């Protein structure tokens, strides 16, 4: 089943063209890593998919539903996790997870709490439900953010550099939660600089450059035998940077 179809989507900020006729599709259960240089439009792509930015042209379909015609319905099929966690600071971990199900989905409290507890266990934070975000490490906060997005039971999860603001020793615990979701066959698009993750977990890798997906291929191909010098140069640079930061 086709979960996302983007047809020639365009996005500009003023005169700056950030997405330039971007087209792709994502099938159910696929994990897509989105890589590419800073400023190439990766965040904007995800933000357009979930309706945080309006596209200026083209069309997006989520499970066949046009975001232009039925935005609310289409956007609700997706959850998103950001680099900066974006948790509600004055709510406990449990309240962070139950807020949207109670208010948006109108779930009854007992069901919402039960589901939240199951999700917290899943991300290894069963003992943190009464903590506030400020009492958690970055890795724990991000795991709460993932559980919170999952609390709305999305079919598709979008991650925008979920580990970029974490200390290197905390990256693994977050990636491992994302890996678990991949094993559960949740459809995912993950913007990441973690090339090991991209290589091991993704079914396909999108390489973005100057507002275009210039490569959409299996990880074996892009990492072992990149088709352009541009991609090769980027990979070399990232691998060197990661080597530095993980020492
Ligand atoms: P990436 O995530 O690949 O680093 P972004 O999608 O964040 O790239 O940004 C792509 C380009 O769009 C950059 O030049 C960025 O400065 C610009 N941009 C992103 N968001 C906005 C905005 N809200 N207003 C103006 N320019 C923006
Ligand atoms: Mg970005």
């Amino acid at each position: 089943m086709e979960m996302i179809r983007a047809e020639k989507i365009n996005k500009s900020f003023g005169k700056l063209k950030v997405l330039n006729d971007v087209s792709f599709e994502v099938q159910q259960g696929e994990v897509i890593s989105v890589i590419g240089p800073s400023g190439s439009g990766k965040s904007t792509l995800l933000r357009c998919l979930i309706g945080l930015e309006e596209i200026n042209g083209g069309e997006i379909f989520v499970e066949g539903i046009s975001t232009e015609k039925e935005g609310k319905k289409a956007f609700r099929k997706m959850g998103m996790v950001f680099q900066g966690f974006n948790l509600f600071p004055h709510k406990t971990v449990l309240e962070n997870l139950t807020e949207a199900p109670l208010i948006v989905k109108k779930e009854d409290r007992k069901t919402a709490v039960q589901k939240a507890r199951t999700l917290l266990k899943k991300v290894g934070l069963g003992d943190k439900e009464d903590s506030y975000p400020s009492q958690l490490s970055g890795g724990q906060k991000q795991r709460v953010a993932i559980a919170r997005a999952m609390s709305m039971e999305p079919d598709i999860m979008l991650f925008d550099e979920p580990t970029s603001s974490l200390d290197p020793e905390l990256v693994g615990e977050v990636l491992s939660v994302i890996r678990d979701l991949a094993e559960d066959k949740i459809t995912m698009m993950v913007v990441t600089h973690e090339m090991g993750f991209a290589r091991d977990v993704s079914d396909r890798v999108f390489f973005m450059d100057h507002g275009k997906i210039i490569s959409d291929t299996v990880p074996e191909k892009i990492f072992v035998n990149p088709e352009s010098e541009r991609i090769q140069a980027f990979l070399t640079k990232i691998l060197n940077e990661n080597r530095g930061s993980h020492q």
Side-chain angles (χ1 to χ4, degrees):
M1 179 182 170
E2 196 171 75
M3 301 301 275
I4 305 176
R5 161 172 293 274
E7 287 179 355
K8 295 203 167 183
I9 59 175
N10 281 277
K11 175 68 186 174
S12 298
F13 293 108
K15 281 187 185 152
L16 182 69
K17 193 151 190 116
V18 177
L19 298 178
N20 189 357
D21 275 346
V22 172
S23 300
F24 63 90
E25 41 66 45
V26 179
Q27 299 293 328
Q28 187 163 37
E30 272 192 313
V31 179
I32 310 288
S33 290
V34 183
I35 66 173
S38 177
S40 57
K42 305 179 299 296
S43 297
T44 304
L45 176 63
L46 295 196
R47 293 173 61 81
C48 285
L49 290 178
I50 202 165
L52 292 173
E53 300 285 355
E54 246 178 78
I55 52 176
N56 308 125
E59 252 188 302
I60 299 168
F61 298 91
V62 183
E63 296 178 37
I65 304 162
S66 157
T67 60
E68 199 180 12
K69 298 195 184 107
E70 289 184 275
K72 218 169 159 186
K73 196 169 164 202
F75 299 137
R76 277 218 198 147
K77 307 251 176 221
M78 296 177 276
M80 184 157 170
V81 172
F82 303 86
Q83 189 175 330
F85 324 127
N86 298 6
L87 296 173
F88 306 121
H90 303 300
K91 291 186 188 293
T92 65
V93 164
L94 191 75
E95 287 163 353
N96 264 277
L97 265 71
T98 54
E99 175 86 359
L102 288 174
I103 290 174
V104 182
K105 271 196 163 182
K106 315 252 185 272
E107 265 178 19
D108 68 275
R109 182 166 296 274
K110 200 169 155 221
T111 312
V113 167
Q114 228 164 31
K115 285 189 187 168
R117 288 193 171 131
T118 306
L119 279 167
L120 285 174
K121 276 203 199 98
K122 201 171 155 70
V123 300
L125 295 172
D127 56 341
K128 294 290 185 197
E129 66 172 64
D130 294 324
S131 300
Y132 285 87
S134 62
Q135 298 170 312
L136 303 176
S137 73
Q140 290 171 331
K141 278 186 227 179
Q142 195 59 307
R143 285 186 279 149
V144 172
I146 295 170
R148 185 180 60 176
M150 292 300 297
S151 75
M152 289 298 281
E153 302 177 316
D155 296 337
I156 302 161
M157 283 284 287
L158 308 176
F159 294 88
D160 191 3
E161 299 199 34
T163 60
S164 291
S165 65
L166 301 177
D167 292 333
E169 72 271 20
L170 302 178
V171 168
E173 66 191 58
V174 171
L175 290 182
S176 125
V177 165
I178 301 175
R179 269 174 218 264
D180 287 347
L181 294 180
E183 276 166 24
D184 291 347
K185 289 289 161 206
I186 307 266
T187 308
M188 299 200 277
M189 290 183 73
V190 188
V191 175
T192 185
H193 291 296
E194 294 292 330
M195 295 301 137
F197 173 86
R199 198 175 45 222
D200 299 344
V201 181
S202 20
D203 297 295
R204 278 189 287 150
V205 179
F206 293 177
F207 186 94
M208 286 195 74
D209 199 17
H210 294 108
K212 281 185 176 293
I213 296 174
I214 62 166
S215 169
D216 166 0
T217 186
V218 293
E220 297 78 38
K221 182 116 193 284
I222 198 160
F223 291 113
V224 178
N225 188 13
E227 53 208 67
S228 79
E229 267 172 40
R230 181 87 188 109
I231 299 175
Q232 177 70 64
F234 172 80
L235 291 176
T236 306
K237 181 166 169 279
I238 285 286
L239 288 176
N240 284 332
E241 281 170 9
N242 286 356
R243 205 162 286 139
S245 72
H246 289 306
Q247 259 168 15

